[in-house]
Every structure is written in structure tokens, then in C-alpha cells.
Amino acid sequence: VQLVESGGESVPAGGSLKLSCAVSGSDTNNCVMGWYRQPLEKPRDEAPGRDRALVSSISNDGTTRYADSVKGRFTISQDNNKNTLSLQMNSLKSEDTAVYYCAADCRVGSVRTTYWGKGTQVTVSS
């Protein structure tokens, strides 16, 4: 599974931004797709997944989850072909500043594999 994020930029507090993740490669029907974020002060070469907090996820049946800090402000969605994962972010706060990663947490039988994109930076200025 290949994941490529886009859409990160600098925005003022209170603004909105939409992140996109282009999904390609293997079938993702056995995957939970999600957005994670890592504060900018954390080195980006840390082992994938370390110090990254879940922002939102969407399961194959459409079930969504959100971190408490973004509930009511962020919305995760996936197109019908599951080729694009999006994160609409509204009412942005300075604490939303981070590198945002797209992830696919896939299970095939007893094997679990997590795929990561390279991240896109979001900076919210107060």
C-alpha cells in the first residue's frame, strides 16, 4: 500500500484546511485508514508510529473515530473507490500544528501491517 499526503500548509487560527491522502497499491478492504499527527518538535526520523497520535480513523464499514481534541472540528472521509482519504479540518487551533500522517492499518489473517505516508506539515498561527 502506498500513501501520499498533500494539503498541509500554514493557516491562521480559526481557519480551515483539507488534507488528502492518495491511496494506491494493494487492496485496502482489510485496512483501517487513519490520520495521525506528530508535533513538530519531535524528530521526523523516529520509528514510524512512535510519538504519533491518532487524530481520526475510518473502518471498512464506515465507522469513524476521532480524538477528543478534534471532535466536532475535523471530519474524515473516503471516496467510494477508496483511492483518496481526506481530513477536513475546521476551527483550527495552534495546538493542531503538527506533521500529519496518513496510515493504513491492515490485517490479513493473523498478520498485521501498518503502512505510513511521509507526512504533510500543518502550521496554525495564533
Side-chain angles (χ1 to χ4, degrees):
V1 177
Q2 289 82 48
L3 306 169
V4 180
E5 304 94 336
S6 62
E9 62 180 75
S10 296
V11 295
S16 298
L17 203 57
K18 186 173 185 177
L19 304 182
S20 295
C21 173
V23 182
S24 62
S26 302
D27 183 0
T28 57
N29 284 330
N30 295 320
C31 306
V32 175
M33 304 299 296
W35 288 95
Y36 290 73
R37 65 187 181 186
Q38 182 169 348
L40 295 183
E41 62 268 22
K42 297 290 185 181
R44 296 188 65 174
D45 58 353
E46 290 283 355
R50 181 177 175 181
D51 294 326
R52 295 178 186 179
L54 176 69
V55 176
S56 181
S57 66
I58 183 167
S59 301
N60 194 45
D61 64 0
T63 301
T64 57
R65 292 175 58 196
Y66 294 93
D68 288 343
S69 60
V70 306
K71 282 180 181 177
R73 300 189 298 124
F74 290 11
T75 303
I76 192 170
S77 62
Q78 199 170 24
D79 69 350
N80 289 336
N81 295 324
K82 299 185 178 179
N83 292 332
T84 303
L85 180 72
S86 299
L87 185 69
Q88 177 66 45
M89 305 186 294
N90 298 327
S91 302
L92 283 161
K93 306 175 181 180
S94 57
E95 51 263 43
D96 295 319
T97 295
V99 178
Y100 285 72
Y101 295 90
C102 178
D105 186 11
C106 307
R107 292 178 185 268
V108 179
S110 61
V111 178
R112 179 183 181 183
T113 305
T114 302
Y115 302 90
W116 295 93
K118 294 186 177 181
T120 185
Q121 183 169 318
V122 173
T123 303
V124 184
S125 57
S126 57

